[in-house]
Amino acid sequence: MTTVRKEAFGRMPPEDGGGEVEKFVLQSESVRVEIVSFGCIITTLETKDRDGQFSDVVLGFDTLEGYTRGHPFFGCVVGRVANRIAKGKFSLDGKEYQLFVNKGPNSLHGGAKGFDKFLWSPEVLPNGVRFFRLSPDGEEGYPGDLKVWVTYTLSGGELAINYQAQTSKTTPINLTNHAYFNLAGQGSQNVYDHKISIEADSYLPVDDTLIPTGEVASVQGTGFDLRQPVELGKHFQKFNLDGFDHNFCLRQGQDRRLVARVLHPPTGRTMEVHTTQPGIQFYTGNHLDGSLKGKGGATYPKHSAFCLETQNWPDAVNKPNFPNVLLHPGEEYNHTTWLVFNTA
């Protein structure tokens, strides 16, 4: 049985139009999650360890101000296109589009003001909450009026995130949630003792600005072979890795499939990721530097969290050999990701 309740979380600054930000608390016997209408952000996700003790396993802030001041996309929905587009450029039907460039020479996570920086309209459901917004034609340089619905539902230990969209003009679209996890509890100093596996036979090598080169490389015999569980700290040392920020290529298909599993042996917490998406970006918080004060005054140093962002492949709009990222009028974008929390 899931309960859903609504609370106030704060007001948007006047320069961002004011507006009430609401928080929705979804609670089952084993998981408690808090999601706010600003950026559809997961601000809290509490799950049990093997002794039945709850801990909050996502990074974030105690107040709205933390999220409006700028942060590395903690817990939010990113779009219109998650991840990177090379030089912020793409061509559609003979027309070139220029997006805002906000990460080195590239456009990242929707540009200067992506979906994470807007107030969405919420609707309470029996076991969750649905958020809606209309991204107008030309927003951040993207074509078409895009209607977007993001639905969070909780059932037992399973949090489902469904993304739907419809457009008035052909547009690239790639939506994901950017939660940062630490199964030891947010504020823990690293994720080196986590064991992870990713069901991917190939990954995308990147250039020095993290744009895929276009090659789809086998993980066999490399540090990217995570098909069997590895302990992250030891794995980094063995392969002399500074961390991961790479797309892993998943088996194609619209069906739900298990794509990643994380275990934290000291607490017994486990997290499984299931999705309909063609890729998963595995990121190990390489750019966290301890400068942000998070929940309860915690600091978040490098490698203090991991992200498993289910999505299309980065820069797919410029790579004909990558999965299709275009949504056409009359079609519906519809993807779901399931996060399943348990104990071992």
Side-chain angles (χ1 to χ4, degrees):
M1 181 67 193
T2 301
T3 60
V4 183
R5 71 174 196 275
K6 181 168 77 169
E7 300 174 3
F9 190 64
R11 284 197 77 81
M12 291 296 291
E15 62 270 23
D16 290 324
E20 197 68 43
V21 179
E22 294 175 310
K23 175 168 77 178
F24 300 86
V25 183
L26 284 46
Q27 188 154 6
S28 71
E29 282 155 28
S30 58
V31 172
R32 181 174 174 276
V33 59
E34 299 181 1
I35 306 154
V36 298
S37 54
F38 175 68
C40 305
I41 294 171
I42 297 174
T43 56
T44 299
L45 199 159
E46 294 177 356
T47 178
K48 286 180 181 175
D49 66 10
R50 68 165 66 87
D51 299 322
Q53 296 295 309
F54 278 94
S55 275
D56 183 2
V57 298
V58 295
L59 276 53
F61 303 100
D62 291 319
T63 62
L64 177 61
E65 288 67 43
Y67 294 103
T68 55
R69 271 203 302 262
H71 60 98
F73 301 97
F74 286 153
C76 59
V77 165
V78 287
R80 187 174 295 196
V81 174
N83 218 310
R84 289 167 176 79
I85 293 178
K87 299 185 170 54
K89 283 185 180 158
F90 63 90
S91 290
L92 261 182
D93 303 325
K95 181 178 176 188
E96 186 167 278
Y97 291 86
Q98 178 65 57
L99 311 171
F100 190 84
V101 167
N102 62 327
K103 191 72 172 177
N106 307 314
S107 182
L108 175 71
H109 292 332
K113 189 175 180 183
F115 287 5
D116 57 298
K117 297 176 181 71
F118 284 94
L119 202 51
W120 293 58
S121 303
E123 173 195 354
V124 173
L125 305 175
N127 62 339
V129 59
R130 176 182 295 129
F131 297 100
F132 170 79
R133 81 171 292 258
L134 172 65
S135 170
D137 185 16
E139 183 174 87
E140 287 296 320
Y142 288 100
D145 286 331
L146 188 75
K147 293 178 179 172
V148 189
W149 296 264
V150 177
T151 307
Y152 293 89
T153 49
L154 181 64
S155 175
E158 179 175 282
L159 178 67
I161 313 172
N162 173 257
Y163 309 89
Q164 290 169 278
Q166 297 164 353
T167 186
S168 65
K169 292 180 186 171
T170 300
T171 185
I173 178 172
N174 183 22
L175 303 177
T176 192
N177 179 281
H178 207 306
Y180 285 68
F181 295 96
N182 187 319
L183 298 186
Q186 73 87 28
S188 300
Q189 290 301 285
N190 60 62
V191 290
Y192 299 149
D193 58 355
H194 288 53
K195 289 186 171 176
I196 184 158
S197 57
I198 297 179
E199 301 275 332
D201 296 328
S202 52
Y203 77 102
L204 299 180
V206 293
D207 67 16
D208 56 6
T209 71
L210 297 178
I211 291 290
T213 61
E215 180 193 0
V216 181
S218 170
V219 300
Q220 184 74 38
T222 74
F224 296 89
D225 192 346
L226 305 178
R227 292 173 293 187
Q228 295 299 316
V230 303
E231 189 176 314
L232 273 176
K234 289 178 180 166
H235 190 75
F236 287 173
Q237 287 179 324
K238 179 180 175 183
F239 288 95
N240 196 24
L241 296 170
D242 188 46
F244 288 98
D245 194 359
H246 293 79
N247 178 82
F248 287 76
C249 307
L250 306 175
R251 188 167 53 77
Q252 303 292 298
Q254 279 294 309
D255 55 320
R256 171 177 175 162
R257 58 218 183 274
L258 171 66
V259 297
R261 188 170 189 272
V262 188
L263 164 67
H264 183 243
T267 61
R269 285 193 185 91
T270 65
M271 174 177 139
E272 287 181 357
V273 183
H274 303 243
T275 192
T276 59
Q277 290 274 25
I280 188 166
Q281 184 85 5
F282 179 36
Y283 173 54
T284 49
N286 313 330
H287 301 296
L288 298 175
D289 60 7
S291 61
L292 287 171
K293 273 272 193 294
K295 289 181 274 193
T299 57
Y300 301 135
K302 183 176 180 173
H303 297 159
S304 60
F306 65 89
C307 304
L308 287 165
E309 305 155 60
T310 53
Q311 55 184 263
N312 205 321
W313 300 4
D315 200 34
V317 72
N318 291 312
K319 304 277 197 294
N321 59 321
F322 284 9
N324 174 46
V325 72
L326 296 179
L327 181 68
H328 301 278
E331 297 175 346
E332 182 169 69
Y333 177 91
N334 193 335
H335 278 289
T336 307
T337 293
W338 297 262
L339 305 175
V340 184
F341 299 92
N342 218 319
T343 52

